[in-house]
Amino acid sequence: MSPPTDGPLVTLTLNPCIDISYDIPRLIPDQKVHARADRYDPGGNGINVARAFKRLRVPAHSICIVGGEIGDFLQRLIAHELDHPHCIRIEGETRVNVTLLQDTPRTQFEISGTGPQVSALALQGVVDEVLNLAGGGFVVLTGSLPPGVPEEIYATLIRALRAQAAHCVVDAQGAALVCAIAEHPYLIKPNRYELELLLGRPLPTLDDVIAEARALQRRGIEYVCVSLGAEGALLVDAQATYLADTPTVEVASTVGAGDSMIAGLLTALSRGEGPAEALRLGIACGSGTASRPGTALFGYQQIQSLLGAIDVRRIPHTTGRAAG
Ligand SMILES: Nc1ncnc2c1ncn2[C@@H]1O[C@H](COP(=O)(O)OP(=O)(O)OP(=O)(O)O)[C@@H](O)[C@H]1O
Ligand SMILES: [Mg+2]
């Protein structure tokens, strides 16, 4: 386990968005439908992780790329929800994502925008800002990449941040994740499906998931956390596998559960707490968020009560494949 650092927490959102959600009775082809309610939220995984840090009362810096008047709006929204936002302005407009919540039949439609083109010069400015703010702290690299940003960007950042003794947490998919893993980040958090995609084959049993998480950990990643949705999560380090179920919550919307979990894991680890405590706080944050509607995240008091309901099992590696 690495020693805790007093360094800052930083999140990066290369492709943030305004999330617009409409409650509608029913979508009908070629007809206008009137929304019963609409709401606007700041979106993007890094922004969500930063919102979760604020809920945990942990100060964090949040770097994001914004463009145009939609970018102005985003900046206004996050000013209320984040502690230390750092917006880097580029040409073009920040994207808008739309969610339609239809009543009958109960269905959710989602459209994700592409995002503005990011020039090499602007991206260099972002990299410089990350290195400058992170010092020897912790950086969360998560979310999709906008046009113009190479898939190696997270890998490049991990390499540069390691040179200044910072720790990187990566929650990404596809080529961005593959490239990042080759640079040995501090922590990764795929869900089970993302792990299957990464390996190119199904992992039907918990033993399969644990074995693959261990194999990844041995490739030089300090912590591999695999989240299992309603079934909880596992965390692997060099010594052991830690496993826990989710506490019982009434699920309202799982949007933001994974981002909340990352904030919980990193809050504990950055304070020097061990993997069992990190997993417990990660699961509490994820489940707390799953119990809240729409894009709302867990509450601080709620976490205190959920923590007591989470039992973490430790399975030392020396005893072999002990999970079932
Ligand atoms: N249906 C649920 N019931 C209870 N807890 C949940 C549920 N879904 C998620 N969680 C909690 O949140 C954590 C992370 O969830 P999940 O595995 O779905 O992450 P994810 O797939 O990365 O999520 P996201 O869609 O936000 O990216 C879980 O380990 C669990 O603690
Ligand atoms: Mg996720």
Side-chain angles (χ1 to χ4, degrees):
M1 187 170 81
S2 352
T5 106
D6 287 332
L9 297 174
V10 178
T11 74
L12 174 64
T13 314
L14 292 168
N15 203 10
C17 64
I18 295 287
D19 273 318
I20 304 184
S21 43
Y22 295 107
D23 281 349
I24 55 167
R26 191 191 180 113
L27 204 58
I28 302 167
D30 301 323
Q31 280 195 43
K32 185 184 282 182
V33 58
H34 290 277
R36 270 201 300 264
D38 41 37
R39 58 175 287 154
Y40 302 86
D41 290 295
N45 293 100
I47 286 177
N48 271 338
V49 175
R51 287 172 64 217
F53 278 134
K54 189 167 169 71
R55 296 222 147 213
L56 287 165
R57 304 181 184 169
V58 175
H61 294 276
S62 321
I63 302 169
C64 56
I65 295 180
V66 298
E69 293 184 10
I70 301 172
D72 292 343
F73 183 34
L74 179 73
Q75 224 167 324
R76 189 148 57 80
L77 289 179
I78 60 177
H80 301 295
E81 294 214 40
L82 307 185
D83 276 323
H84 302 292
H86 303 263
C87 294
I88 295 173
R89 296 212 69 93
I90 61 165
E91 298 285 313
E93 288 287 343
T94 290
R95 69 193 170 128
V96 174
N97 292 351
V98 178
T99 303
L100 303 179
L101 297 160
Q102 176 180 268
D103 272 355
T104 35
R106 191 83 187 142
T107 313
Q108 183 166 322
F109 301 93
E110 287 187 60
I111 301 168
S112 175
T114 50
Q117 180 81 25
V118 179
S119 70
L121 187 64
L123 189 60
Q124 188 56 50
V126 173
V127 169
D128 292 345
E129 184 82 342
V130 173
L131 298 182
N132 180 38
L133 285 172
F138 294 85
V139 181
V140 180
L141 303 171
T142 173
S144 67
L145 306 179
V149 172
E151 280 161 340
E152 300 79 31
I153 183 65
Y154 290 156
T156 305
L157 279 164
I158 295 165
R159 207 175 313 126
L161 285 159
R162 186 184 312 108
Q164 58 186 52
H167 302 70
C168 290
V169 175
V170 178
D171 184 10
Q173 296 181 14
L177 177 60
V178 172
C179 297
I181 286 172
E183 290 297 333
H184 312 133
Y186 173 69
L187 185 152
I188 59 172
K189 193 222 68 69
N191 60 29
R192 187 182 202 140
Y193 176 66
E194 288 161 349
L195 186 60
E196 290 175 338
L197 279 184
L198 179 74
L199 301 168
R201 62 189 179 80
L203 301 171
T205 69
L206 187 58
D207 271 349
D208 295 329
V209 177
I210 293 173
E212 295 304 338
R214 282 189 64 180
L216 275 173
Q217 195 281 332
R218 280 196 297 267
R219 279 164 63 180
I221 302 168
E222 203 145 334
Y223 294 106
V224 176
C225 177
V226 184
S227 62
L228 307 166
E231 282 148 55
L234 61 94
L235 180 62
V236 174
D237 73 1
Q239 281 77 44
T241 297
Y242 301 81
L243 274 171
D245 294 330
T246 53
T248 309
V249 291
E250 200 168 318
V251 176
S253 153
T254 61
V255 175
D259 297 331
S260 300
M261 170 168 242
I262 285 175
L265 288 166
L266 196 48
T267 292
L269 292 171
S270 66
R271 287 176 178 158
E273 291 171 18
E277 282 315 304
L279 184 62
R280 185 175 282 126
L281 187 56
I283 287 181
C285 293
S287 304
T289 289
S291 75
R292 300 282 169 108
T295 53
L297 302 183
F298 61 84
Y300 184 79
Q301 299 301 341
Q302 181 190 23
I303 294 304
Q304 314 313 314
S305 61
L306 285 174
L307 280 172
I310 299 168
D311 286 321
V312 178
R313 280 191 292 152
R314 181 180 189 274
I315 305 163
H317 293 330
T318 46
T319 61
R321 294 156 58 88

